[in-house]
Amino acid sequence: MKSRCLSFAEIISFLLITAVAWQGIRLIESSKLNEFSDPIATLYFWSGWVGVAFLVFSLLSPKFKKQLGLFALIAGILHSGIFIALDFDFHFDFIFIELSQKYYLYFGALSLLCLLICAIGSFGFFKKFRLYYVVYLALILSLIHWLMIQKILALNYLLIGFGLIILIGYKLLKIFTNKKYNF
């Protein structure tokens, strides 16, 4: 079993991406570009988008798909950590009340679970399974999570959602029409 650790260049790349993202968030928070008056809502928004962006880039860049998938997992853990630590201060009784009232949280949690399964699989486990289906499922679940949060679906949100559905459909069609896979 071939075990693969993150290289020094990958760790430095992640730290640079994190630093640039942090500076971007600080810039948005300190300027008139901020559409949120709540800093926790801003952190939710940006951590969620960064996670989805890493997932989409992992589908578009086969060379770096594992690294980008792990970055998406880290962004998902950060997104969940904001929910648990910053928003609810580890009061799990309030978290369970919130879970019973807002069903879109289940889709986000299932998406994070899919990313955890892919992360474990990227280190050589689950060799008989094709984990890219789990990545597609994670992206679909995060899309449902994101669309259910919106009170009003603006045109830009619908276009982004439609674009993600087209991308997933294209990737699945490409897999099923490829002759090397026998289904």
Side-chain angles (χ1 to χ4, degrees):
M1 174 165 69
K2 182 181 175 183
S3 176
R4 185 180 185 295
C5 294
L6 291 176
S7 71
F8 181 72
E10 292 166 341
I11 293 170
I12 294 298
S13 299
F14 175 72
L15 292 175
L16 286 173
I17 290 169
T18 305
V20 169
W22 179 254
Q23 291 302 320
I25 290 171
R26 289 186 61 214
L27 175 70
I28 290 168
E29 282 292 315
S30 66
S31 71
K32 300 280 185 211
L33 297 174
N34 185 10
E35 63 184 77
F36 301 108
S37 60
D38 182 11
I40 291 178
T42 304
L43 290 173
Y44 275 138
F45 180 81
W46 287 106
S47 63
W49 272 108
V50 166
V52 169
F54 278 133
L55 267 182
V56 169
F57 290 144
S58 75
L59 293 177
L60 298 175
S61 174
K63 184 177 179 182
F64 300 109
K65 66 182 175 184
K66 288 183 182 178
Q67 294 84 2
L68 292 169
L70 289 173
F71 292 160
L73 172 66
I74 292 168
I77 291 171
L78 176 67
H79 189 69
S80 300
I82 292 166
F83 176 75
I84 294 169
L86 295 180
D87 209 6
F88 286 93
D89 197 28
F90 297 101
H91 292 287
F92 290 100
D93 48 343
F94 294 132
I95 290 173
F96 291 129
I97 291 170
E98 191 80 2
L99 285 171
S100 70
Q101 295 173 350
K102 298 181 179 172
Y103 296 111
Y104 61 83
L105 296 173
Y106 292 116
F107 291 101
L110 287 173
S111 178
L112 182 64
L113 180 64
C114 289
L115 291 178
L116 284 170
I117 290 169
C118 289
I120 292 168
S122 72
F123 291 109
F125 303 104
F126 310 126
K127 284 189 175 188
K128 294 182 180 182
F129 300 107
R130 295 188 175 106
L131 289 176
Y132 46 81
Y133 293 122
V134 182
V135 173
Y136 300 141
L137 179 62
L139 193 55
I140 290 168
L141 289 170
S142 63
L143 179 63
I144 293 169
H145 169 75
W146 170 64
L147 288 174
M148 286 179 72
I149 291 171
Q150 306 305 315
K151 291 183 171 76
I152 298 173
L153 286 176
L155 181 62
N156 59 342
Y157 290 134
L158 290 174
L159 289 175
I160 291 169
F162 186 66
L164 289 175
I165 290 170
I166 288 175
L167 174 66
I168 293 168
Y170 170 74
K171 296 296 275 188
L172 288 173
L173 182 66
K174 190 175 170 183
I175 289 169
F176 285 117
T177 58
N178 194 347
K179 300 295 182 199
K180 71 178 185 176
Y181 297 113
N182 296 322
F183 292 103

